[in-house]
Amino acid sequence: QQTTNTAHCPHHRRAIITTVLNMTEDQHYLDTYLADILPKLGLDFDTYGPYVTGADEEDDLDDIIDLLRASSESHSDDDDSWTDLKLQIEKRRKDYISREEERKNLAALETERLEKERLQREIEIAKTNALEVEQRLEAKKQEIISADKQALLDKFGYEVEDEEGEEEDAGLATNRDHAAKQSAEHSQKLRSNNQPSKAQLRAETSKAKADKNAKKEERRKRAAKGERQR
């Protein structure tokens, strides 16, 4: 009675349906067993095997066993044989379902692994592309800097120092040298603008002498006038 209740259990029936859906067209997982046991029970495998392997959700294993038992001419009254047949079929169904679940789990894990590998490859490709873009930008930047250096060289005739402070060409003036030279030239120009010319110097000298002589003559006149008053 307990076995009959198990066969009627909804969960068990769903498992049977799942098993049927997972059957291959070429060979059913029960074919080998049924090909061996059915002839021993007085039944032709090709005729009665499909009753078991073709079961769907509307079929009940107890009904199938009853059909097989009624069709047997040699073992229809052997209760133990049919009880054992039912137990063996249920056991093989459970084993098959277990193997299928494991296979599906492994397949899902393999799919997950492949997906992770694909994503990792995409990440690596993205990083590589980003690095290549950065390198191209840096190369373009260096080209612009080189062009600016060349423009300064063409204009002023000196090399721009690099970031480490080393001169790119020892034979040409550095920025500091050029700046110092420009500053010296500017100071000299200012001094030159502030210094009087020779003509100005001569005029100022003549004026100073004339002022001196005039003051001397004025002192002489004051002295002579004082003598007369005495």
Side-chain angles (χ1 to χ4, degrees), residues 109-227:
L109 290 175
E110 179 66 10
T111 300
E112 182 180 358
R113 183 185 68 82
L114 293 175
E115 179 66 12
K116 287 182 178 180
E117 289 182 354
R118 184 186 67 80
L119 292 176
Q120 185 62 33
R121 286 194 300 269
E122 291 183 357
I123 291 173
E124 294 299 328
I125 291 173
K127 288 182 179 179
T128 301
N129 291 339
L131 180 60
E132 291 177 354
V133 170
E134 182 179 354
Q135 290 173 344
R136 286 197 296 269
L137 291 176
E138 182 63 24
K140 187 65 176 178
K141 178 181 177 182
Q142 293 302 323
E143 290 178 3
I144 295 174
I145 293 175
S146 298
D148 292 342
K149 286 183 179 180
Q150 185 62 43
L152 289 174
L153 179 61
D154 294 341
K155 183 175 182 180
F156 299 108
Y158 67 93
E159 281 287 339
V160 180
E161 292 182 353
D162 57 21
E163 295 180 358
E164 289 76 20
E166 297 180 354
E167 296 181 358
E168 294 183 356
D169 187 347
L172 296 174
T174 63
N175 282 340
R176 245 185 335 268
D177 295 335
H178 181 74
K181 181 179 178 182
Q182 293 283 49
S183 178
E185 291 177 354
H186 181 68
S187 299
Q188 181 64 33
K189 184 176 180 180
L190 291 176
R191 286 196 298 270
S192 297
N193 291 336
N194 292 329
Q195 290 179 353
S197 63
K198 290 182 179 181
Q200 289 176 332
L201 288 175
R202 285 196 297 269
E204 290 180 0
T205 300
S206 298
K207 184 177 182 300
K209 288 181 178 180
D211 291 342
K212 183 179 180 181
N213 291 332
K215 291 179 180 180
K216 185 178 179 181
E217 180 65 19
E218 185 177 356
R219 286 196 301 272
R220 187 185 65 78
K221 288 181 179 181
R222 283 200 302 268
K225 182 178 180 180
E227 288 293 331

Side-chain angles (χ1 to χ4, degrees), residues 19-20 23-32 34 52-54:
T19 302
V20 173
M23 291 188 304
T24 62
E25 294 181 358
D26 296 332
Q27 183 177 4
H28 193 274
Y29 68 93
L30 289 173
D31 280 351
T32 301
L34 294 176
V52 181
T53 59

Side-chain angles (χ1 to χ4, degrees), residues 51-130:
Y51 284 99
V52 181
T53 59
D56 56 30
E57 65 271 19
E58 299 300 329
D59 296 321
D60 179 28
L61 185 56
D62 285 330
D63 294 337
I64 296 174
I65 295 296
D66 289 341
L67 173 63
L68 297 177
R69 181 172 184 171
S71 302
S72 174
E73 297 180 359
S74 59
H75 289 73
S76 59
D77 296 329
D78 188 355
D79 293 338
D80 293 339
S81 296
W82 303 108
T83 300
D84 184 64
L85 175 63
K86 181 178 179 180
L87 292 175
Q88 290 297 325
I89 291 175
E90 289 179 337
K91 177 180 181 301
R92 283 168 169 75
R93 280 178 173 173
K94 291 178 180 179
D95 291 343
Y96 175 76
I97 292 173
S98 178
R99 290 194 304 270
E100 279 298 291
E101 289 179 351
E102 182 178 4
R103 181 187 64 79
K104 290 180 180 179
N105 289 336
L106 292 175
L109 290 175
E110 179 66 10
T111 300
E112 182 180 358
R113 183 185 68 82
L114 293 175
E115 179 66 12
K116 287 182 178 180
E117 289 182 354
R118 184 186 67 80
L119 292 176
Q120 185 62 33
R121 286 194 300 269
E122 291 183 357
I123 291 173
E124 294 299 328
I125 291 173
K127 288 182 179 179
T128 301
N129 291 339

